[in-house]
mmCIF file of all heavy atoms in Angstrom:
data_model
loop_
_atom_site.group_PDB
_atom_site.id
_atom_site.type_symbol
_atom_site.label_atom_id
_atom_site.label_comp_id
_atom_site.label_asym_id
_atom_site.label_seq_id
_atom_site.Cartn_x
_atom_site.Cartn_y
_atom_site.Cartn_z
ATOM 1 N N TYR Q 98 10.629 20.917 22.071
ATOM 2 C CA TYR Q 98 9.485 21.818 22.202
ATOM 3 C C TYR Q 98 8.644 21.413 23.412
ATOM 4 O O TYR Q 98 8.507 20.209 23.733
ATOM 5 C CB TYR Q 98 8.609 21.764 20.950
ATOM 6 C CG TYR Q 98 9.251 22.418 19.745
ATOM 7 C CD1 TYR Q 98 9.955 21.660 18.818
ATOM 8 C CD2 TYR Q 98 9.158 23.788 19.541
ATOM 9 C CE1 TYR Q 98 10.551 22.259 17.710
ATOM 10 C CE2 TYR Q 98 9.742 24.401 18.447
ATOM 11 C CZ TYR Q 98 10.442 23.625 17.530
ATOM 12 O OH TYR Q 98 11.033 24.222 16.450
ATOM 13 N N PHE Q 108 20.374 21.592 14.603
ATOM 14 C CA PHE Q 108 20.844 20.850 13.446
ATOM 15 C C PHE Q 108 22.321 20.521 13.656
ATOM 16 O O PHE Q 108 23.122 21.385 14.020
ATOM 17 C CB PHE Q 108 20.671 21.684 12.177
ATOM 18 C CG PHE Q 108 21.054 20.960 10.919
ATOM 19 C CD1 PHE Q 108 20.432 19.766 10.567
ATOM 20 C CD2 PHE Q 108 22.043 21.465 10.095
ATOM 21 C CE1 PHE Q 108 20.792 19.098 9.413
ATOM 22 C CE2 PHE Q 108 22.400 20.808 8.926
ATOM 23 C CZ PHE Q 108 21.773 19.616 8.585
ATOM 24 N N GLY Q 206 30.905 16.919 -7.380
ATOM 25 C CA GLY Q 206 32.274 16.573 -7.734
ATOM 26 C C GLY Q 206 33.257 17.627 -7.277
ATOM 27 O O GLY Q 206 32.949 18.828 -7.245
ATOM 28 N N ASN Q 245 11.494 11.368 -11.768
ATOM 29 C CA ASN Q 245 11.173 11.030 -10.380
ATOM 30 C C ASN Q 245 12.398 10.678 -9.551
ATOM 31 O O ASN Q 245 12.269 10.346 -8.373
ATOM 32 C CB ASN Q 245 10.145 9.892 -10.313
ATOM 33 C CG ASN Q 245 10.748 8.537 -10.613
ATOM 34 O OD1 ASN Q 245 11.854 8.431 -11.132
ATOM 35 N ND2 ASN Q 245 10.021 7.476 -10.289
ATOM 36 N N GLY Q 315 21.796 -3.927 -18.636
ATOM 37 C CA GLY Q 315 21.820 -5.231 -19.272
ATOM 38 C C GLY Q 315 21.159 -6.318 -18.453
ATOM 39 O O GLY Q 315 20.819 -7.382 -18.976
ATOM 40 N N ILE Q 341 29.759 -0.220 2.348
ATOM 41 C CA ILE Q 341 31.146 -0.118 2.798
ATOM 42 C C ILE Q 341 32.047 -1.007 1.944
ATOM 43 O O ILE Q 341 33.054 -0.568 1.404
ATOM 44 C CB ILE Q 341 31.277 -0.503 4.281
ATOM 45 C CG1 ILE Q 341 30.249 0.267 5.115
ATOM 46 C CG2 ILE Q 341 32.697 -0.248 4.770
ATOM 47 C CD1 ILE Q 341 30.315 1.766 5.009
ATOM 48 N N LYS Q 486 -16.110 -28.358 -0.285
ATOM 49 C CA LYS Q 486 -14.832 -28.369 0.419
ATOM 50 C C LYS Q 486 -14.262 -26.953 0.497
ATOM 51 O O LYS Q 486 -14.369 -26.180 -0.454
ATOM 52 C CB LYS Q 486 -13.836 -29.298 -0.268
ATOM 53 C CG LYS Q 486 -14.223 -30.768 -0.229
ATOM 54 C CD LYS Q 486 -13.147 -31.635 -0.873
ATOM 55 C CE LYS Q 486 -13.518 -33.118 -0.793
ATOM 56 N NZ LYS Q 486 -12.459 -33.965 -1.405
ATOM 57 N N ALA Q 489 -9.659 -22.271 1.440
ATOM 58 C CA ALA Q 489 -9.056 -20.984 1.786
ATOM 59 C C ALA Q 489 -9.156 -20.731 3.285
ATOM 60 O O ALA Q 489 -10.143 -21.104 3.928
ATOM 61 C CB ALA Q 489 -9.747 -19.854 1.025
ATOM 62 N N PRO Q 492 -9.433 -15.284 7.667
ATOM 63 C CA PRO Q 492 -9.515 -14.848 9.065
ATOM 64 C C PRO Q 492 -10.573 -13.773 9.325
ATOM 65 O O PRO Q 492 -11.097 -13.679 10.427
ATOM 66 C CB PRO Q 492 -8.112 -14.294 9.341
ATOM 67 C CG PRO Q 492 -7.236 -14.876 8.272
ATOM 68 C CD PRO Q 492 -8.124 -14.987 7.079
ATOM 69 N N TYR Q 546 -21.994 -8.352 -8.054
ATOM 70 C CA TYR Q 546 -23.046 -8.906 -7.199
ATOM 71 C C TYR Q 546 -23.603 -10.227 -7.724
ATOM 72 O O TYR Q 546 -23.890 -11.144 -6.953
ATOM 73 C CB TYR Q 546 -24.196 -7.906 -7.095
ATOM 74 C CG TYR Q 546 -24.036 -6.838 -6.047
ATOM 75 C CD1 TYR Q 546 -23.996 -5.493 -6.394
ATOM 76 C CD2 TYR Q 546 -23.971 -7.153 -4.702
ATOM 77 C CE1 TYR Q 546 -23.880 -4.491 -5.436
ATOM 78 C CE2 TYR Q 546 -23.859 -6.166 -3.732
ATOM 79 C CZ TYR Q 546 -23.814 -4.841 -4.101
ATOM 80 O OH TYR Q 546 -23.704 -3.862 -3.140
ATOM 81 N N ALA Q 581 -22.450 13.834 -17.334
ATOM 82 C CA ALA Q 581 -22.348 15.060 -18.127
ATOM 83 C C ALA Q 581 -21.027 15.751 -17.816
ATOM 84 O O ALA Q 581 -20.444 15.573 -16.739
ATOM 85 C CB ALA Q 581 -23.515 15.989 -17.803
ATOM 86 N N GLU Q 599 -35.672 11.650 1.011
ATOM 87 C CA GLU Q 599 -36.700 12.321 0.210
ATOM 88 C C GLU Q 599 -37.265 11.406 -0.879
ATOM 89 O O GLU Q 599 -37.991 11.874 -1.761
ATOM 90 C CB GLU Q 599 -36.097 13.584 -0.422
ATOM 91 C CG GLU Q 599 -35.686 14.623 0.619
ATOM 92 C CD GLU Q 599 -34.973 15.824 -0.002
ATOM 93 O OE1 GLU Q 599 -34.763 15.809 -1.247
ATOM 94 O OE2 GLU Q 599 -34.639 16.764 0.736
ATOM 95 N N LEU Q 607 -24.347 -0.606 0.405
ATOM 96 C CA LEU Q 607 -23.835 -0.650 1.775
ATOM 97 C C LEU Q 607 -22.657 -1.606 1.869
ATOM 98 O O LEU Q 607 -22.756 -2.776 1.502
ATOM 99 C CB LEU Q 607 -24.931 -1.096 2.741
ATOM 100 C CG LEU Q 607 -24.505 -1.319 4.201
ATOM 101 C CD1 LEU Q 607 -24.037 -0.002 4.829
ATOM 102 C CD2 LEU Q 607 -25.641 -1.924 5.015
ATOM 103 N N THR Q 648 -6.246 -13.612 2.668
ATOM 104 C CA THR Q 648 -6.806 -14.901 2.278
ATOM 105 C C THR Q 648 -5.621 -15.800 1.966
ATOM 106 O O THR Q 648 -4.816 -15.499 1.083
ATOM 107 C CB THR Q 648 -7.688 -14.794 1.026
ATOM 108 O OG1 THR Q 648 -8.668 -13.786 1.215
ATOM 109 C CG2 THR Q 648 -8.377 -16.119 0.739
ATOM 110 N N PRO Q 700 -19.836 5.863 21.157
ATOM 111 C CA PRO Q 700 -18.385 5.941 20.962
ATOM 112 C C PRO Q 700 -17.743 6.818 22.041
ATOM 113 O O PRO Q 700 -18.399 7.682 22.627
ATOM 114 C CB PRO Q 700 -18.255 6.576 19.578
ATOM 115 C CG PRO Q 700 -19.518 7.354 19.393
ATOM 116 C CD PRO Q 700 -20.586 6.576 20.104
ATOM 117 N N GLU Q 722 -27.697 18.930 11.488
ATOM 118 C CA GLU Q 722 -26.975 17.866 12.186
ATOM 119 C C GLU Q 722 -27.953 16.842 12.745
ATOM 120 O O GLU Q 722 -28.936 17.197 13.400
ATOM 121 C CB GLU Q 722 -26.127 18.447 13.317
ATOM 122 C CG GLU Q 722 -25.298 17.396 14.037
ATOM 123 C CD GLU Q 722 -24.472 17.964 15.175
ATOM 124 O OE1 GLU Q 722 -25.067 18.334 16.211
ATOM 125 O OE2 GLU Q 722 -23.245 18.046 15.017
ATOM 126 N N GLU Q 726 -27.821 7.581 16.711
ATOM 127 C CA GLU Q 726 -27.882 6.814 17.954
ATOM 128 C C GLU Q 726 -27.303 5.416 17.734
ATOM 129 O O GLU Q 726 -27.369 4.863 16.637
ATOM 130 C CB GLU Q 726 -29.330 6.700 18.432
ATOM 131 C CG GLU Q 726 -30.000 8.026 18.761
ATOM 132 C CD GLU Q 726 -29.426 8.671 20.019
ATOM 133 O OE1 GLU Q 726 -28.669 7.977 20.744
ATOM 134 O OE2 GLU Q 726 -29.721 9.853 20.265
ATOM 135 N N GLU Q 788 -11.445 -22.386 -21.755
ATOM 136 C CA GLU Q 788 -10.009 -22.330 -22.036
ATOM 137 C C GLU Q 788 -9.181 -22.028 -20.797
ATOM 138 O O GLU Q 788 -7.980 -22.316 -20.775
ATOM 139 C CB GLU Q 788 -9.728 -21.265 -23.101
ATOM 140 C CG GLU Q 788 -10.230 -21.627 -24.487
ATOM 141 C CD GLU Q 788 -9.980 -20.522 -25.496
ATOM 142 O OE1 GLU Q 788 -9.655 -19.388 -25.061
ATOM 143 O OE2 GLU Q 788 -10.111 -20.781 -26.706
#
Side-chain angles (χ1 to χ4, degrees):
Y98 289 95
F108 184 58
N245 76 345
I341 310 303
K486 294 183 178 181
Y546 276 119
E599 295 175 358
L607 174 64
T648 307
E722 183 181 71
E726 298 290 348
E788 290 178 346

